[in-house]
Every structure is written in C-alpha cells, then in structure tokens.
C-alpha cells in the first residue's frame, strides 16, 4: 500500500512541477520580491497538502504563535525534503542557505533563483562560510529571514551530527532572534528512499531565542539542546546520545 501511495504522490508531484513551471515561473519575475515568495509558495502548499492526502500523513504543528513578526534566523534539524517546503511557509519571506547544485535543477532550481537563496560551493568551505555570513547579514537587513540547517546536510532519524554555528553567528551579529524548529519528517518522507510512510508528522516551533549580548557558542548550545530535547519527545526512532551522555529513548 505504501508503494502505491508513493507512486500516486510522485505522479502529482511531477505534474505540479510542470504546472508551476508553465504558470507560476513566467509570472514570478514580474512581481515584487515579497509577493514573489507568496506566489511561488502556492507550489509548496500544494505539495504538502498532496503529500498528506496521497500518503496518509497527518500534521501536528505546535508553537506557530512563537514565530516573530520581524526578520529572524530559523534553525531546524534536516531529515528530508518536506521541511524545506514547510519552513518556506512558516516564516514569509525567508531565504534558504543551500548547496549551489540545487539551482541547476529544472523548474525547481529556477524557482529557487527567484527568491534570493544563499547558494554555497561546498568544495570551498572557507569561502562558503564567508558567503553565508555576508549574504545572511544582507538578507536580514533587507527584511528577509534566513533559514539554515545547522547539521549542514540531511541526517536520518536516529542519527546525530554536530551543529554548525554559522546561523547563530549571523543572528548574533545582526542582533536578531533565532527561531528553533524540530520535526520528525524523515520518518514519513525518507531522505534516501522514495517510498513514503503514513502516520503523524510532528513539528514543534520554539520560542525565539534572543542573541543580543550573547556569544555564538552559548546560543548554539541552547538551540541544539532544545532541538534534541524536542526530537526525543516527538520521534518514534530513539535519539542517539551526545558524547558523554546516556542513550535517550522516547517515552
């Protein structure tokens, strides 16, 4: 059944890409930047809704009221493609830090180019870090929020990767809050497998974490502790322990 549902989902997924490419992309460059985000987000809204219907996934989002009015840096764990779509809708307008290769994908990459992403060349790490800091500060000054996945890449449920501090450095330098987000999307939309799984997909949006007068290390430690605590609560897959900690198993 999951295979059939996944085939149905991808039929709608690729049809939506075609329709978006024909109907939304030609219009997007003609409208103001902030309106462009809302226009292109029509595609994201459809994919998320179609995923829920076709694959039997129910969403439970807690903490939407915590999203601040002004620009912020959103830090979330990264498990799948699902959260890259959802977080575009959580805080509008928002630009995403992503790998440069994504911009070359037909239709999807073309749309990304129109919403001012921060595209990184991972073959040059030191230059990539400077670009994140420079362009991140610039986007915040323009009124956009910035989305960064501090793990740097997709991490499967039940695995753990050290968090990168580039996002909190941007937030601390700009004096804007960090908005932490935790989710278990990878349990239903696996990052490395095309078959989707039904069930409850949980998202928790935390209270904004203030950065003014604090070090990046201090803020990063708070963000990581909060996200890992939420993942322990909402994940069906046991969370691995950090170094020096005992293993954590969901109740």
């Amino acid at each position: 059944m999951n295979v059939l549902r996944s085939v149905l989902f991808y039929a709608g997924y690729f049809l939506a890409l075609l329709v978006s490419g024909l109907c939304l992309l030609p219009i997007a460059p003609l409208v103001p930047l902030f309106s462009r985000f809302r226009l292109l987000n029509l595609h994201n809204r459809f994919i998320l809704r179609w995923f829920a219907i076709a694959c039997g996934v129910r969403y439970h989002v807690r903490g939407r009221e915590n999203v601040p009015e002004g620009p912020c840096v959103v830090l979330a764990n990264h498990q799948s493609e699902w959260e890259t779509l959802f977080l575009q809708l959580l805080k509008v307008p928002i630009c995403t830090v992503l790998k440069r290769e994504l911009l070359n994908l037909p239709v999807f990459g073309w749309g990304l180019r129109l919403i001012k992403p921060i595209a990184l060349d991972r073959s040059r790490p030191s230059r990539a870090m400077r670009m994140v800091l420079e362009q991140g500060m610039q986007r915040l000054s323009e009124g956009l929020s910035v989305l960064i996945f501090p793990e740097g890449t997709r991490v499967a449920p039940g695995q753990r990767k050290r968090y990168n501090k580039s996002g909190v450095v941007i937030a601390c330098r700009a004096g804007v809050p960090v908005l932490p987000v935790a989710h278990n999307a990878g349990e239903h939309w696996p990052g490395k497998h095309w078959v989707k799984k039904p069930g409850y997909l949980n998202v928790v949006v935390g209270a904004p974490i203030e950065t003014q007068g604090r070090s990046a290390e201090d803020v990063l430690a708070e963000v990581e502790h909060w996200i890992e605590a939420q993942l322990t609560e909402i994940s069906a897959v046991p969370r691995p322990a950090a170094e020096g900690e005992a293993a954590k198993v969901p109740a």
Side-chain angles (χ1 to χ4, degrees):
M1 180 61 72
N2 290 347
V3 171
L4 292 176
R5 282 177 160 175
S6 298
V7 170
L8 179 63
F9 166 72
Y10 275 113
Y13 180 95
F14 289 115
L15 178 60
L17 275 178
L18 177 61
V19 172
S20 297
L22 293 174
C23 300
L24 300 183
L25 284 182
I27 301 173
L30 306 177
V31 301
L33 179 62
F34 284 18
S35 298
R36 190 181 306 164
F37 279 91
R38 292 182 172 82
L39 175 66
L40 294 177
N41 273 341
L42 293 174
H43 172 80
N44 294 345
R45 291 182 188 280
F46 172 80
I47 295 298
L48 294 178
R49 183 58 180 162
W50 178 238
F51 173 61
I53 294 172
C55 298
V57 177
R58 296 185 180 182
Y59 305 149
H60 181 235
V61 182
R62 186 170 80 241
R64 284 184 185 271
E65 68 278 4
N66 290 324
V67 179
E69 291 291 333
C72 64
V73 175
V74 178
L75 297 183
N77 62 300
H78 194 16
Q79 295 184 351
S80 72
E81 184 180 341
W82 185 90
E83 64 270 14
T84 66
L85 303 173
F86 171 80
L87 293 171
Q88 294 290 328
L89 307 176
L90 180 68
K91 178 61 178 168
V92 183
I94 190 168
C95 72
T96 305
V97 177
L98 45 77
K99 56 186 179 182
R100 187 175 61 181
E101 293 81 0
L102 292 177
L103 301 182
N104 298 324
L105 294 176
V107 183
F108 181 77
W110 304 338
L112 284 177
R113 289 177 182 273
L114 296 174
I115 51 177
K116 305 194 73 170
I118 301 174
L120 304 181
D121 181 357
R122 291 185 174 181
S123 66
R124 305 174 66 181
S126 59
R127 185 174 183 275
M129 175 63 77
R130 290 197 302 271
M131 183 178 296
V132 169
L133 298 179
E134 293 172 3
Q135 295 192 18
M137 294 283 289
Q138 180 183 0
R139 300 294 192 274
L140 290 169
S141 69
E142 295 171 351
L144 279 69
S145 292
V146 177
L147 168 61
I148 298 181
F149 297 110
E151 295 156 307
T153 188
R154 294 176 185 173
V155 179
Q159 298 182 16
R160 190 165 179 174
K161 191 174 184 295
R162 185 177 180 180
Y163 283 31
N164 184 288
K165 69 178 182 179
S166 58
V168 296
V169 170
I170 294 171
C172 288
R173 290 186 180 182
V176 301
V178 168
L179 185 69
V181 179
H183 63 86
N184 67 332
E187 295 175 10
H188 306 282
W189 186 322
K192 295 184 178 180
H193 199 287
W194 67 276
V195 177
K196 313 308 180 195
K197 300 177 182 179
Y200 282 91
L201 194 160
N202 295 290
V203 181
V204 186
V205 182
I209 297 174
E210 293 302 325
T211 61
Q212 294 186 358
R214 302 179 64 186
S215 69
E217 290 77 12
D218 182 39
V219 176
L220 181 62
E222 182 175 349
V223 170
E224 183 171 3
H225 176 78
W226 185 90
I227 290 178
E228 287 299 324
Q230 300 306 314
L231 289 175
T232 299
E233 178 183 338
I234 67 177
S235 299
V237 180
R239 296 298 300 163
E243 293 183 8
E245 294 181 0
K248 299 177 180 179
V249 180

